[in-house]
């Protein structure tokens, strides 16, 4: 049982297919409250079955929690908040969250993606997979939409320091939640403060490929609230494209 000053076990590998997949194997055996960190992934997974390029220099890790010990909906909102709060200390550039949990940075008036989160949830465990482009070279195919911290800061950063700061921040929030020193709505408030999606007109592509267009009124634990032609629609998740 993790208590005060909780410190999750970190399993650090040089290379693996996907830290989420490796974490899942251990989670299936009953292991909880640990982190799998890899220097490279040769089959990194993004959301919606996309690939996540995972070359050396980036941060690729998966945190496994007991799904009954914490509310997955709160953890979902908390994770990107922790990442932004830590990365803020490394750059003066404006950071933001694109729904649901893309970590974005503003460069020359447009936002590029710095990191993403792939959460896999069962009734028993929650795997929170985090990928952040720190010092890795961004592949040509995604240069238009992605950028590394190294590129925006102009020098290599200490990726292990960033990793441990994110983990510490995350653990400290979890402990505060447990002890009721902070409530779910405070976390949501912080998420909304960083959201660059609220107020925008967006297209959300659902898993059945249907696309819903509307203006974003709100984001909460259950997803996004859109004002559409047909009225208010609530959408749990999907691929979000900012229109204006
Ligand atoms: C996204 O599509 O934005 C989510 C990307 C998540 C990538 C991370 S890297 C560590 C973990 N292992 C994976 O295979 N994916 C996640």
């Amino acid at each position: 049982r993790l208590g005060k000053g909780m410190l999750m076990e970190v399993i650090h590998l040089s290379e693996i297919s996907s830290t989420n997949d490796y974490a899942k194997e251990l989670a299936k055996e009953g292991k909880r409250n640990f982190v799998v960190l890899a220097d490279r992934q040769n089959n990194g997974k993004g959301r919606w079955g996309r690939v996540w390029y995972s070359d050396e220099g980036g941060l690729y890790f998966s945190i496994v929690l007991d799904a009954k010990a914490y509310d997955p909906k709160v953890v979902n909102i908390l994770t990107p908040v922790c990442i932004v709060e830590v990365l803020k200390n490394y750059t003066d550039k404006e950071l933001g969250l694109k729904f649901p949990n893309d970590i974005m940075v503003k460069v020359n008036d447009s936002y590029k993606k710095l990191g993403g989160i792939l959460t896999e949830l069962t009734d028993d465990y929650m795997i929170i997979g985090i990928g952040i482009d720190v010092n890795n070279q961004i592949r040509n195919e995604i240069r238009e939409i992605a950028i590394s911290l190294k590129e925006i800061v102009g020098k290599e950063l200490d990726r292990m320091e960033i990793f441990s700061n994110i983990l510490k921040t995350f653990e400290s929030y979890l402990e505060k939640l447990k002890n009721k020193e902070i409530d779910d709505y405070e976390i949501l408030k912080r998420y909304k403060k960083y959201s660059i999606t609220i107020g925008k007109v967006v297209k959300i592509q659902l898993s059945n490929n249907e696309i819903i267009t509307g203006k974003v009124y709100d984001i909460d634990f259950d997803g996004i609230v859109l004002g559409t032609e047909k009225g208010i629609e609530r959408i749990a998740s999907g691929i979000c494209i900012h229109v204006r």
Side-chain angles (χ1 to χ4, degrees):
R1 191 85 273 144
L2 290 176
K4 255 202 137 21
M6 54 195 289
L7 274 181
M8 290 188 241
E9 179 194 349
V10 178
I11 302 170
H12 189 168
L13 310 165
S14 58
E15 181 162 346
I16 192 74
S17 52
S18 151
T19 56
N20 266 36
D21 290 349
Y22 189 84
K24 195 182 294 168
E25 292 304 311
L26 298 174
K28 280 184 189 160
E29 293 166 14
K31 199 171 167 71
R32 301 285 182 271
N33 301 312
F34 66 98
V35 186
V36 178
L37 167 72
D39 297 336
R40 287 181 303 277
Q41 299 182 117
N42 53 52
N43 192 21
K45 303 184 299 177
R47 298 174 74 238
W48 308 104
R50 295 192 276 221
V51 299
W52 185 261
Y53 295 130
S54 308
D55 299 316
E56 183 121 31
L59 269 177
Y60 316 104
F61 61 102
S62 302
I63 303 171
V64 178
L65 296 178
D66 183 338
K68 291 185 177 77
Y70 303 96
D71 181 347
K73 288 181 177 181
V74 177
V75 175
N76 256 333
I77 296 259
L78 171 63
T79 309
V81 167
C82 291
I83 298 172
V84 168
E85 289 189 346
V86 169
L87 296 187
K88 263 198 315 189
N89 300 321
Y90 292 87
T91 174
D92 294 331
K93 296 251 171 1
E94 195 181 315
L95 299 173
L97 297 175
K98 179 165 160 280
F99 178 81
N101 43 24
D102 287 351
I103 317 299
M104 310 295 287
V105 60
K106 199 173 190 176
V107 272
N108 304 326
D109 267 359
S110 71
Y111 280 97
K112 287 194 174 188
K113 185 160 168 171
L114 255 186
I117 303 170
L118 174 65
T119 302
E120 300 186 65
L121 180 66
T122 72
D123 288 339
D124 297 322
Y125 57 81
M126 184 181 357
I127 301 174
I128 307 140
I130 298 166
I132 304 171
D133 293 319
V134 182
N135 300 320
N136 54 300
Q137 174 84 32
I138 302 294
R139 303 247 187 141
N140 286 333
E141 302 92 290
I142 55 170
R143 288 201 66 85
E144 296 274 291
I145 53 164
I147 196 162
S148 68
L149 268 172
K150 176 183 167 174
E151 246 178 291
I152 60 174
V153 175
K155 60 164 198 241
E156 292 233 336
L157 294 171
D158 185 339
R159 60 187 259 290
M160 288 309 288
E161 181 190 282
I162 295 174
F163 166 72
S164 97
N165 286 339
I166 291 172
L167 198 56
K168 269 189 234 158
T169 306
F170 185 72
E171 290 183 321
S172 127
Y173 267 115
L174 288 184
E175 205 177 315
K176 289 199 179 105
L177 278 168
K178 271 238 132 118
N179 300 338
K180 304 211 178 333
E181 290 165 43
I182 189 170
D183 71 3
D184 303 354
Y185 285 92
E186 179 58 35
I187 311 272
L188 182 60
K189 204 172 100 191
R190 292 183 194 186
Y191 176 95
K192 292 199 327 192
K193 185 176 80 185
Y194 298 128
S195 174
I196 56 169
T197 301
I198 293 176
K200 292 265 158 51
V201 174
V202 301
K203 284 182 193 292
I204 307 267
Q205 186 180 342
L206 308 181
S207 48
N208 63 7
N209 286 328
E210 190 192 336
I211 291 176
I212 299 183
T213 305
K215 183 164 175 156
V216 181
Y217 288 151
D218 198 12
I219 294 176
D220 64 19
F221 301 109
D222 295 309
I224 196 163
V225 183
L226 286 188
T228 75
E229 279 182 331
K230 291 191 239 148
I232 303 279
E233 293 221 33
R234 189 173 255 296
I235 302 160
S237 195
I239 296 173
C240 174
I241 299 155
H242 286 187
V243 180
R244 58 178 183 270

